[in-house]
Amino acid sequence: MLSNPSVVLHDVTFAWPDGAVALDHVSGAFGRGRTGLTGLNGAGKSTLLRVIAGLLTPTSGRVALSGTADYLPQRITLDVHATVADLLGITPVVRALRAIESGDVDEAHFDVVGDDWDVEERAVALLAATGLPTGLDRSVATLSGGETMLTAITGVRLRQSTGSAAVALLDEPTNNLDGAARERLYELVRGWRGALVVVSHDLALLELMDDTAELRAGSLTTFGGPYSEYRAWLQVQQEAAAQTLRAAEQTLRREKRQRIEAEERIAHSERKGRKDAANSKYVKAVINDRRNSAEKSAGARRGMLDDKVDAARAAVDLAERAVRDDDRISVDLPDPGVPAGRRLAVLRGADGREVVIQGPERIALTGPNGVGKTTLLERLLSIPAPAPSGAGYVSGQAPSGPQTPSTQGDGRDGQGFADGELLTERAAYLPQRVDVLPDASSVLDAVREGAPHVPPGELRNRLARFLVRGAAVDRPVATLSGGERFRVALARLLLADPPAQLLVLDEPTNNLDIASTDQLVDALSAYRGALLVVSHDGAFLERLGLDAEIRLDPEGNLTQVRR
């Protein structure tokens, strides 16, 4: 237990009204510095933050705080008339200050202000330091999505600095932020003073933490250090756990073998006793005494050996629970047949300059939010708005030229668009949202849509390589967990027959936990076609072995920034 924690969880359980248990007897603590809270999707991280913040009441157990908690959810919902002051949470104080400045000496205004006479100056200073608009009366409707999130986080920091909140809780703050906004958030976190708990799968953000906590299977593990150090420590622990499991399994096999050998000796002794009795070798009374003694001895020996087997089996069970089953995807994908000189697509900037994707190149398409990256992908793939089946969409034919754009998702007005032309009939697309798989279909049927000529048995074997095994293959898509759904969407793309020559991904890691991102990287490492990926996740892009990065600017121009 931490010596001076800001949050202490005592056997906290939370169940939803339908009985589903989100948190199960969670105990642990968070320190007074910056803590990164990690865990698989569905582990209960967001629920835990809401319980700590007092927005949800534990079904049992209790939460002890060193003060009050300030919680910022993943998605910020605001009134269309909200101002920057509203987003910062200081509107009542600002109004009271302005009333006092205008000559209103109502005592209620002074009560509202309290000690925050300089709150406007401090708010403007914090906004300016983060590179944000400083007008407190400015409408949030004029802010970008990244500016809105950063302003809200600045408000959390401001309130914590005034002492109105002791613990700040941020839930996936970098989701949907572009690269520039992420960098500003990182700077904000680097200078953070006070207790901060951040749920995130952003590896760069997690490296800025003083401590790392993981919520897994109802257990909260806290480690003193950033995520990379935690992963290194965990690997050592897992290697030791695996060795312990191997030793326990070996002991169990030995105890079982000794139990069998002992049973054989007992059986041999019983046969000998029956043979002696049949031959009248001994007096009957002596035979009976020996039989009774042998039966008692055999029973005691069986009991002792059974106890040893049970103890060895219990040791194996305990060791198995300590070994994680975070499997990695290891798959041998069919060769899409993309020679080095094969031209697959052309991206064309608004100024007419072109970028040609050819051979098995790996290209990142980057740029600020709102410049039209998703629209460019949709134009390239000739996807009308709204997009069709989504994950696993495979183009049926190469378009003859530039297509009418969809403006869904980028907020552009149709002026200054970059354009694209597809030069292959085999392109596959994974959009930002993968919840558009056919819910009523089985997993097998959903994947067979892209590979109708592959025998079901072979598809089952290939799906197992994507960690979709056994009965899960026949389950309806609607019953899958988020991680399972993502792997099925990915399998649907990569197991298509004939295989796609160009794979297009739009922000694939936005809502993935760290384990799922690892699995995505594993799968893409086996893909031998061309890759075009939109992402703001620098750590993810670095792992893909990129050949080039192409930046799209607000004017619709394309610039190669690295090769």
Side-chain angles (χ1 to χ4, degrees), residues 229-428:
E229 294 180 10
Y230 173 65
R231 283 286 290 258
W233 173 83
L234 186 62
Q235 182 175 350
V236 172
Q237 298 299 309
Q238 284 299 292
E239 289 172 353
Q243 185 174 356
T244 299
L245 175 59
R246 288 193 295 270
E249 289 173 337
Q250 184 177 0
T251 299
L252 177 59
R253 287 193 295 270
R254 184 178 66 249
E255 296 298 344
K256 285 183 174 179
R257 184 173 62 252
Q258 290 179 353
R259 174 68 175 84
I260 292 171
E261 291 172 352
E263 193 64 42
E264 290 174 348
R265 287 195 296 271
I266 291 171
H268 174 73
S269 177
E270 289 176 345
R271 287 196 300 273
K272 185 175 183 301
R274 288 194 296 270
K275 183 178 179 182
D276 289 344
N279 294 334
S280 300
K281 187 175 181 180
Y282 298 101
V283 177
K284 187 174 183 180
V286 174
I287 293 175
N288 290 338
D289 286 343
R290 289 188 174 184
R291 181 188 301 121
N292 292 336
S293 177
E295 288 175 353
K296 289 179 181 180
S297 176
R301 196 180 312 162
R302 285 191 179 104
M304 179 187 68
L305 293 172
D306 287 343
D307 288 344
K308 286 185 175 182
V309 170
D310 290 342
R313 185 175 289 113
V316 168
D317 292 340
L318 183 63
E320 283 179 339
R321 288 196 291 271
V323 176
R324 301 190 172 207
D325 58 355
D326 298 340
D327 293 339
R328 305 296 294 262
I329 289 177
S330 177
V331 59
D332 184 17
L333 297 174
D335 189 348
V338 182
R342 173 73 160 91
R343 290 162 56 94
L344 299 174
V346 177
L347 304 179
R348 189 174 297 108
D351 59 0
R353 285 187 291 181
E354 294 183 345
V355 175
V356 177
I357 301 175
Q358 63 182 30
E361 288 188 318
R362 295 182 166 226
I363 308 294
L365 177 62
T366 62
N369 282 340
V371 297
K373 300 185 295 297
T374 295
T375 300
L376 173 55
L377 298 186
E378 291 175 348
R379 289 172 67 89
L380 172 68
L381 297 167
S382 308
I383 299 176
S389 60
Y393 170 81
V394 180
S395 62
Q397 59 182 15
S400 58
Q403 306 296 308
T404 302
S406 158
T407 57
Q408 181 180 357
D410 280 290
R412 300 292 300 273
D413 60 5
Q415 301 298 317
F417 272 107
D419 204 351
E421 183 179 354
L422 197 61
L423 304 177
T424 176
E425 295 182 356
R426 290 155 50 194

Side-chain angles (χ1 to χ4, degrees), residues 100-119:
I100 294 171
E101 291 170 357
S102 67
D104 188 342
V105 294
D106 188 328
E107 187 176 344
H109 297 321
F110 291 87
D111 292 337
V112 171
V113 173
D115 296 325
D116 294 333
W117 292 95
D118 62 344
V119 70

